[in-house]
Amino acid sequence: MDTSACRDRGSTRGWKSCAAGAAVVAALLTSTACRSDGGGAAPTARPSTGAPATPTATATPPAKSGTPSATPSEKPGGTKAPAKPGGSPSATGGTRAVADCTTEQLAVSAVKEPADSKENRHLLLGVQNAGDAPCKLYRYPHVKLGATARTMVPVIEESDPDPGRPVVLGRGEEAYAALLVSGGGRDEYEATSITLTLQGRAPGSRAGGPVDVPLPVARLYADDGQLVTYWTTASGVALDFIMSK
């Protein structure tokens, strides 16, 4: 502050006013110099307002737009439920239970084994499904050799290919049962006919009446050693049980 102006004033009161003003200016200049000096004391920290500091939230990276979910959800009705097991295909593509075979839908036959044998001891009985749908055969056929036979031909128990399960014949398929006419036993007799009766679901039951089986030869000589096997779709398997007898 220029003090010459104070000297030009004549009164003592004017000098005091100028001196006070000079002191104020000097104090302001000193305060400004302290704040601008980088090597001075650190500035005084602002008083705390008492509110706790808010922690900075960690940013979550955005999900990738092209990444599929772990388990894609399937819209209801988009996939057909798998068909339940059991039954056989019907003509319309559905399923239904397989019916029992009847003699009306089976073509019955008998051939000599081997075909060129001079003996007529081993026969192969056959049935073919001539119907329009699959059917089931149970266990083994009830066979009678000759019109005078009083009992059915005994079965070879170990010949059952799948114990407890019927043989299922599709349309046009065949099943076989091997027949031993004479097993070297006693009481030989002459037989000019063979009858066959199917079994029902219950063991020992009968499904329908007997049917005549066409003979491959004019007559047979049977004895009490005759035997028959269970039904099977493999003719060779059935014959194995009688050819060695």
Side-chain angles (χ1 to χ4, degrees):
M1 181 177 180
D2 189 1
T3 58
S4 60
C6 293
R7 287 193 302 268
D8 292 336
R9 298 184 183 183
S11 65
T12 303
R13 183 178 180 180
W15 170 252
K16 291 181 179 180
S17 298
C18 286
V24 171
V25 171
L28 289 175
L29 290 176
T30 302
S31 174
T32 302
C34 290
R35 285 198 301 268
S36 62
D37 187 3
T44 304
R46 294 181 181 179
S48 174
T49 60
T54 302
T56 304
T58 303
T60 302
K64 296 182 180 179
S65 60
T67 304
S69 59
T71 305
S73 59
E74 187 172 337
K75 295 182 179 180
T79 303
K80 294 182 179 180
K84 294 181 179 180
S88 297
S90 66
T92 59
T95 59
R96 63 183 181 185
V98 178
D100 299 342
C101 293
T102 63
T103 53
E104 288 77 16
Q105 73 185 103
L106 298 178
V108 184
S109 63
V111 295
K112 185 174 63 172
E113 291 291 341
D116 58 354
S117 174
K118 294 181 179 180
E119 297 182 325
N120 301 319
R121 297 178 57 240
H122 307 103
L123 301 182
L124 184 65
L125 307 179
V127 291
Q128 183 182 42
N129 182 5
D132 296 328
C135 65
K136 291 184 287 189
L137 286 174
Y138 294 95
R139 291 169 293 279
Y140 55 92
H142 291 309
V143 178
K144 275 190 177 182
L145 279 168
T148 60
R150 296 181 179 179
T151 60
M152 300 293 180
V153 177
V155 68
I156 303 174
E157 291 291 349
E158 60 268 25
S159 66
D160 190 353
D162 194 359
R165 297 180 64 86
V167 173
V168 178
L169 290 183
R171 181 179 179 182
E173 293 181 342
E174 296 179 88
Y176 308 94
L179 175 63
L180 179 64
V181 176
S182 60
R186 298 174 297 176
D187 300 331
E188 185 178 84
Y189 64 96
E190 183 178 326
T192 57
S193 66
I194 300 176
T195 59
L196 179 153
T197 305
L198 301 178
Q199 287 197 54
R201 297 189 181 189
S205 64
R206 300 181 184 185
V211 295
D212 291 327
V213 181
L215 287 177
V217 294
R219 60 179 53 86
L220 298 169
Y221 292 94
D223 60 25
D224 57 4
Q226 55 195 261
L227 294 168
V228 71
T229 68
Y230 276 75
W231 291 116
T232 177
T233 55
S235 59
V237 173
L239 288 170
D240 284 345
F241 286 97
I242 67 167
M243 295 307 292
S244 60
K245 298 184 182 297

